[in-house]
């Protein structure tokens, strides 16, 4: 994959904190979507400067951290 950046593109960075049990979230295997949904960054709705990439760092105090990356695919016509 490649990321093409044009003027007015942006990258959204979110730093969050969670009181969820890090050992459950980081466990191998499948987990319910409701347990991990808050770790995924959301894209802003504004169209004047769309984010093409969003990063979220979620801190779990005294346990660890999680980094999630989401990309938006824009189709130019």
């Amino acid at each position: 994959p490649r990321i093409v950046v044009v003027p007015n593109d942006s990258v959204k960075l979110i730093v969050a904190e969670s009181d969820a049990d890090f050992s459950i979230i980081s466990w191998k295997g499948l987990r319910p979507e409701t347990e991990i949904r808050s770790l995924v960054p959301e894209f802003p709705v504004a169209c004047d400067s769309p984010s093409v990439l969003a990063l979220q760092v979620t801190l779990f105090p005294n346990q660890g951290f999680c980094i999630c990356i989401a990309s938006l695919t824009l189709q130019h016509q």
Side-chain angles (χ1 to χ4, degrees), residues 12 42-51:
K12 182 178 180 181
E42 293 184 15
F43 287 98
V45 185
C47 293
D48 58 337
S49 180
S51 291

Side-chain angles (χ1 to χ4, degrees), residues 25-50:
I25 290 178
S26 62
W27 189 257
K28 292 181 182 179
L30 299 175
R31 284 165 301 289
E33 183 266 342
T34 54
E35 289 183 14
I36 58 173
R37 183 68 189 129
S38 65
L39 304 176
V40 179
E42 293 184 15
F43 287 98
V45 185
C47 293
D48 58 337
S49 180

Side-chain angles (χ1 to χ4, degrees), residues 1-69:
R2 69 180 182 165
I3 298 172
V4 178
V5 180
V6 296
N8 297 324
D9 280 350
S10 63
V11 175
K12 182 178 180 181
L13 172 64
I14 302 165
V15 178
E17 188 172 319
S18 177
D19 60 353
D21 188 340
F22 184 72
S23 61
I24 291 173
I25 290 178
S26 62
W27 189 257
K28 292 181 182 179
L30 299 175
R31 284 165 301 289
E33 183 266 342
T34 54
E35 289 183 14
I36 58 173
R37 183 68 189 129
S38 65
L39 304 176
V40 179
E42 293 184 15
F43 287 98
V45 185
C47 293
D48 58 337
S49 180
S51 291
V52 294
L53 190 68
L55 305 169
Q56 179 169 326
V57 178
T58 305
L59 305 172
F60 297 86
N62 300 316
Q63 298 180 65
F65 65 94
C66 172
I67 300 173
C68 287
I69 302 170

